[in-house]
């Protein structure tokens, strides 16, 4: 039967993927840590890409696949980031690890990230149950409010705070004692980011390809029709929301590893960077609503664009070009408008990208 | 409970009901069902008994409350009075998906397909088979692949019945209108129901498509042994297909009978054509 053959092929593809990742990690270990270009430029960029990809893709589960607008995804990232950071600080104080090259440290980091994801997922469940009774604009406002509440809550927590307590808060001292990686460790532990991204993406792809993901798409297409097919619509909505929140939390944990200190400003609804709830929604739209691969690509593109604008000195170019680049938000806005006008379905038109189709297309063009 | 709204029935009709009742107890039954929308009684004192394998029609002029009855019977609306039983189970207040699990499936007057999904996926969604768990799906275990294969196979079988087999890969939204209606019926069948509720299946169909639909409905009731409850405006379809008919007007049952009885029932004619034209009082 055709279907089964496809499934077996899919499983093989998954194996290749993991083998490829393992190979990549091994190669990364060979590159000298003191290679400046690699350590100072490329590695931080990859880290940034990784957490943006997880964040944008997990948001797309709700916005694109389920069809419910959520404007507070960074709230879940904040929960994940602060949970994992505080957990690692606690572990350090409890003497679980003494220096950051030990195996114990790696275990602490991994557990912290997963714990951050789980807590974010639980919060997602708690928020989702009342919030998903609403739809459209109302849900958008609720989630927007949620994102702001989280930020304010963390600001006022005695042990997290904006500038922290003597206990050592996540806001300060992360670099010295907690999750925060030095430049050297960023290179050494790059595999954590890659593993997290590959794992999260695989999870989401598997989810969307299964009958559960099919039900989620059915709900997006027609809620009443889905209920008439026996789908428990409220449960699926809350469940998908919680899964998305959980992976958002994982993205937050990876973000916390990358940063030497955490501030709640980075998880706001808008700020002057590209990590905020608004930009995550923009990445989903840019990549194509409902296309996980699309939002991953869009996140990577935004990340590169951000790097080009802020790091390569484009804004010191003479004349109006330099002037334009000193207002990065203007550039993003123009890019978004152009994409929406010429590709209303986003880069992928809402479909998943299959490598085979891409290769086929290029092959045809070459001939 | 006031009994005045239950219309009189003929001996022939009562004999037919006795025959059906001998074949088994009703799969779907309501007692004095009613719903009020802000003071407006949309449906009141609605009683129905659907026996296994029977073909029952509900007719009535526009705005009579036919679709409201369907929404009550499928859990979309919560009744404000009365009771719905599936088998012996009281279903009042259950969510729609519980009704599907208990064996009630429906189609809609305005087609509600999952228009961005393929024909095959539309049917696969409706198959109530929990052959693999979320965990095995997320980890990509072999059960998942096997379960998916089985789902595909069963969905394809259903599509073949409706001659949609060669279209399995098409996006549902791009099918022609008549085919979309067929697909919606196939999807409803995939839930493995005991009672199938068809809400104006022939709406917007041309005579050829209506004929085709007629033969499919006959086939479904024979091969799947399910009860079919039909709302229809197309009188010839109702008269041809249904063994008995319940007529409602202004949310109340005004007549119950065999098709030929309904066709010459004064009350029904008055409801459809207006009091004076029917030459009433």
């Amino acid at each position: 039967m055709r279907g089964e053959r496809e499934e077996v092929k899919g499983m093989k593809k998954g194996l290749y993927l993991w083998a490829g990742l393992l190979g990549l990690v091994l190669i990364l270990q060979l590159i000298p840590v003191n290679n400046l270009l690699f350590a100072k430029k490329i590695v931080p960029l990859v880290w940034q890409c990784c957490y943006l990809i997880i964040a944008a893709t997990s948001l797309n589960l709700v916005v694109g696949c389920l069809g419910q607008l959520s404007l507070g995804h960074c709230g879940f990232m904040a929960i994940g980031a602060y949970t994992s950071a505080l957990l690692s600080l606690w572990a350090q104080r409890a003497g679980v690890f003494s220096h950051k090259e030990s195996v114990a440290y790696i275990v602490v980091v991994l557990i912290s990230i997963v714990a951050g994801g789980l807590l974010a997922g639980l919060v997602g469940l708690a928020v989702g149950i009342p919030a998903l009774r609403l739809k459209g604009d109302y849900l958008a406002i609720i989630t927007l409010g949620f994102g702001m509440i989280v930020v304010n809550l963390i600001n006022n927590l005695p042990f997290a705070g904006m500038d922290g307590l003597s206990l050592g808060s996540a806001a300060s001292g992360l670099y010295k004692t907690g999750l925060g990686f030095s430049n050297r460790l960023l290179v050494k532990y790059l595999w954590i980011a890659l593993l997290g991204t590959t794992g999260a993406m695989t999870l989401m792809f598997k989810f969307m390809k299964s009958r559960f993901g099919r039900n989620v798409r059915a709900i997006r297409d027609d809620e009443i029709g889905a209920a008439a097919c026996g789908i428990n619509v409220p449960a699926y909505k809350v469940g998908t929301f919680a899964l998305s929140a959980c992976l958002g939390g994982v993205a937050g944990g990876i973000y916390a590893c990358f940063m030497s200190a955490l501030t709640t400003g980075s998880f706001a609804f808008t700020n002057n960077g590209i990590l905020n709830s608004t930009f995550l929604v923009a990445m989903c739209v840019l990549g194509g609503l409902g296309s996980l691969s699309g939002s991953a690509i869009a996140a990577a593109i935004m990340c590169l664009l951000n790097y080009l604008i802020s790091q390569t000195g484009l804004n010191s170019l003479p004349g109006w070009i330099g002037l334009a680049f000193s207002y990065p938000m203007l550039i993003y806005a123009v890019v978004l408008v152009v994409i929406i006008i010429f590709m209303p379905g986003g880069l992928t038109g809402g479909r998943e990208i299959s490598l085979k189709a891409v290769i086929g297309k290029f092959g045809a063009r070459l001939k | 409970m006031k009994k005045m709204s239950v219309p009189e029935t003929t001996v022939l009709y009562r004999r037919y009901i006795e025959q059906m009742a001998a074949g088994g107890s009703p799969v779907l039954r309501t007692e004095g069902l009613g719903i009020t929308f802000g003071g407006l009684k949309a449906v009141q004192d609605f009683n129905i008994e659907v026996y296994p394998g029977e073909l029952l029609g509900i007719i009535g002029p526009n705005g009579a409350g036919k679709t409201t009855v369907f929404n009550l019977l499928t859990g979309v609306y919560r009744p404000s009075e009365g009771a719905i039983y599936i088998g012996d189970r009281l279903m009042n207040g259950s969510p729609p998906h519980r009704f599907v699990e208990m064996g009630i499936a429906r189609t809609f007057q305005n087609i509600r397909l999952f228009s961005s999904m393929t024909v095959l996926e539309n049917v696969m969604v409706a198959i109530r088979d929990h052959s693999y768990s979320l965990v095995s799906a997320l980890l990509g275990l072999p059960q998942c692949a096997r379960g998916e294969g089985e789902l595909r196979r069963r969905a394809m079988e259903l599509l073949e019945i409706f001659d949609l087999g060669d279209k399995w890969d098409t996006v549902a939204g791009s099918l022609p209108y008549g085919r979309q209606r067929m697909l919606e019926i196939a999807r409803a069948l995939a839930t493995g129901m005991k009672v199938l509720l068809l809400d104006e299946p022939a709406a917007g169909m041309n005579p050829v498509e209506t004929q085709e639909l007629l033969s499919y409905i006959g086939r479904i009731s024979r091969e799947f042994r399910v009860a079919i409850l039909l709302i229809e405006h197309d009188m010839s379809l109702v008269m041809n297909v249904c063994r008995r008919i319940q007529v409602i007007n202004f949310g109340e049952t005004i007549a119950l009978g065999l098709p030929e009885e309904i066709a010459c029932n004064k009350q029904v004619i008055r409801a459809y054509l207006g009091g004076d034209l029917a030459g009433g009082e």
Side-chain angles (χ1 to χ4, degrees):
Chain A
M1 170 91 199
R2 186 197 160 93
E4 272 169 52
R5 253 208 331 265
E6 257 171 32
E7 292 297 333
V8 171
K9 240 197 231 161
M11 283 180 68
K12 264 191 192 157
K13 242 195 295 187
L15 282 181
Y16 292 147
L17 182 77
W18 287 106
L21 183 70
L22 192 70
L24 192 65
V25 167
L26 288 177
I27 293 170
L28 283 175
Q29 300 300 315
L30 295 178
I31 297 178
V33 173
N34 50 12
N35 182 330
L36 270 186
L37 173 77
F38 185 68
K40 283 260 164 69
K41 301 267 191 246
I42 296 176
V43 168
L45 194 63
V46 172
W47 273 89
Q48 234 176 345
C49 258
C50 282
Y51 66 72
L52 280 176
I53 284 176
I54 303 178
T57 317
S58 61
L59 178 61
N60 206 353
L61 270 188
V62 168
V63 178
C65 303
L66 188 63
Q68 309 289 330
L69 183 53
S70 162
L71 293 177
H73 201 58
C74 273
F76 296 114
M77 269 189 85
I79 291 172
Y82 274 84
T83 308
S84 44
L86 288 167
L87 204 62
S88 71
L89 287 174
W90 172 81
Q92 197 263 348
R93 217 156 296 125
V96 179
F97 63 90
S98 50
H99 63 99
K100 292 193 168 188
E101 311 261 332
S102 58
V103 179
Y105 178 66
I106 295 176
V107 173
V108 166
V109 167
L110 292 180
I111 289 179
S112 302
I113 293 174
V114 171
L118 288 181
L119 187 70
L122 281 179
V123 174
L125 207 62
V127 172
I129 289 170
L132 288 165
R133 288 165 170 268
L134 305 169
K135 37 183 116 169
D137 303 346
Y138 302 103
L139 179 67
I141 290 167
I142 289 263
T143 49
L144 172 67
F146 164 76
M148 291 177 169
I149 288 170
V150 167
V151 165
N152 283 308
L153 209 62
I154 293 174
N155 277 344
N156 290 298
L157 279 181
F159 49 84
M162 277 172 111
D163 32 45
L165 277 181
S166 56
L167 271 173
S169 75
S172 63
L174 198 57
Y175 169 63
K176 263 179 272 163
T177 49
L179 276 182
F181 293 161
S182 62
N183 263 344
R184 219 170 63 73
L185 284 181
L186 278 183
V187 182
K188 191 169 154 59
Y189 291 149
L190 187 58
W191 62 267
I192 293 182
L194 294 177
L195 180 81
T197 313
T198 321
M201 292 295 287
T202 314
L203 215 63
M204 283 184 271
F205 273 119
K206 290 276 181 215
F207 178 72
M208 284 315 292
K209 283 211 94 179
S210 70
R211 67 185 169 92
F212 303 96
R214 202 160 42 230
N215 290 355
V216 169
R217 279 186 294 141
I219 291 172
R220 173 192 61 191
D221 275 6
D222 196 316
E223 240 173 73
I224 296 173
C229 286
I231 296 171
N232 187 346
V233 175
Y236 265 92
K237 276 186 174 177
V238 173
T240 313
F241 195 69
L243 178 66
S244 152
C246 172
L247 293 171
V250 170
I254 292 175
Y255 174 81
C257 291
F258 173 67
M259 300 307 278
S260 52
L262 285 180
T263 55
T264 44
S266 9
F267 302 109
F269 176 60
T270 54
N271 53 28
N272 55 2
I274 58 166
L275 175 63
N276 53 52
S277 298
T278 327
F279 259 83
L280 289 183
V281 175
M283 286 172 200
C284 290
V285 176
L286 190 64
L289 289 175
S291 163
L292 298 178
S293 44
S295 46
I297 291 169
I301 289 178
M302 287 289 245
C303 187
L304 276 176
L305 198 61
N306 177 56
Y307 177 80
L308 280 180
I309 292 172
S310 60
Q311 306 284 318
T312 49
L314 279 175
N315 53 1
S316 55
L317 284 173
W320 63 271
I321 301 175
L323 196 66
F325 277 102
S326 27
Y327 297 98
M329 284 300 145
L330 205 62
I331 310 269
Y332 301 132
V334 170
V335 169
L336 258 177
V337 168
V338 168
I339 294 271
I340 295 304
I341 289 175
F342 291 103
M343 305 173 96
L347 295 173
T348 58
R351 282 179 296 275
E352 292 300 346
I353 289 179
S354 85
L355 264 180
K356 215 169 158 190
V358 171
I359 292 168
K361 231 178 210 176
F362 271 101
R365 203 163 288 176
L366 285 178
K367 272 174 203 167
Chain B
M1 184 162 295
K2 52 178 187 169
K3 279 280 170 198
M4 53 171 275
S5 68
V6 177
E8 283 181 19
T9 49
T10 60
V11 181
L12 261 163
Y13 178 75
R14 283 197 294 273
R15 196 171 294 157
Y16 175 77
I17 294 291
E18 273 163 23
Q19 246 174 41
M20 294 307 297
S25 54
V27 264
L28 177 66
R29 183 164 62 89
T30 68
E31 276 173 13
L33 201 62
I35 187 169
T36 313
F37 295 117
L40 174 79
K41 285 191 167 173
V43 171
Q44 50 180 319
D45 200 14
F46 182 80
N47 297 296
I48 200 169
E49 278 170 353
V50 183
Y51 294 95
E54 81 164 325
L55 277 157
L56 170 61
I58 297 181
I59 63 170
N62 285 329
K66 302 183 297 287
T67 300
T68 311
V69 165
F70 262 30
N71 283 338
L72 284 168
L73 293 181
T74 51
V76 176
Y77 294 152
R78 191 180 282 250
S80 40
E81 56 192 51
I84 307 170
Y85 295 95
I86 300 178
D88 298 327
R89 191 90 150 254
L90 179 67
M91 295 299 288
N92 282 27
S94 295
H97 68 95
R98 287 286 300 145
F99 278 77
V100 181
E101 281 166 22
M102 293 298 294
I104 309 284
R106 72 173 293 184
T107 65
F108 294 88
Q109 193 172 349
N110 44 338
I111 302 177
R112 287 186 179 276
L113 286 174
F114 309 126
S115 46
S116 74
M117 293 161 71
T118 65
V119 168
L120 184 70
E121 282 175 324
N122 264 274
V123 178
M124 282 168 82
V125 163
I127 298 178
R128 303 283 90 214
D129 179 0
H130 307 290
S131 55
Y132 63 92
S133 66
L134 180 60
V135 176
S136 69
L138 291 184
L139 297 179
L141 297 182
Q143 286 104 292
C144 172
R146 231 175 295 137
E148 278 290 291
E150 176 66 15
L151 280 179
R152 271 165 191 271
R153 197 183 56 72
R154 282 171 59 185
M156 278 309 282
E157 271 176 15
L158 269 167
L159 287 178
E160 297 293 350
I161 293 178
F162 288 88
D163 299 318
L164 282 161
D166 51 334
K167 291 253 200 300
W168 68 274
D169 210 8
T170 317
V171 174
S174 64
L175 282 180
Y177 187 80
R179 302 269 83 193
Q180 289 197 16
R181 283 220 169 272
M182 295 303 170
L183 177 56
E184 213 192 11
I185 296 175
R187 190 182 72 181
L189 281 179
T191 62
M193 78 282 99
K194 289 182 243 152
V195 185
L196 177 61
L197 281 67
L198 300 175
D199 195 346
E200 299 209 15
M205 280 189 168
N206 62 35
V208 181
E209 286 174 325
T210 307
Q211 271 309 310
E212 203 186 346
L213 178 75
L214 206 72
S215 71
Y216 279 130
I217 291 178
R219 221 178 129 187
I220 294 166
S221 100
R222 274 196 312 276
E223 286 181 19
F224 289 85
R225 298 286 306 145
V226 296
I228 296 178
L229 193 56
L230 190 81
I231 290 180
E232 193 45 73
H233 265 138
D234 189 326
M235 276 305 174
S236 69
L237 185 78
V238 179
M239 295 294 165
N240 274 327
V241 164
C242 298
R243 300 288 158 70
R244 66 181 175 114
I245 292 171
Q246 185 156 356
V247 190
I248 51 180
N249 194 20
F250 298 117
E252 286 182 86
T253 305
I254 58 167
L256 281 164
L258 305 176
E260 50 273 25
E261 294 167 3
I262 294 296
C264 52
N265 183 308
K266 281 230 169 64
Q267 281 231 316
V268 177
I269 298 168
R270 198 177 304 141
Y272 268 88
L273 300 177
D276 295 338
L277 280 168
E281 287 96 300

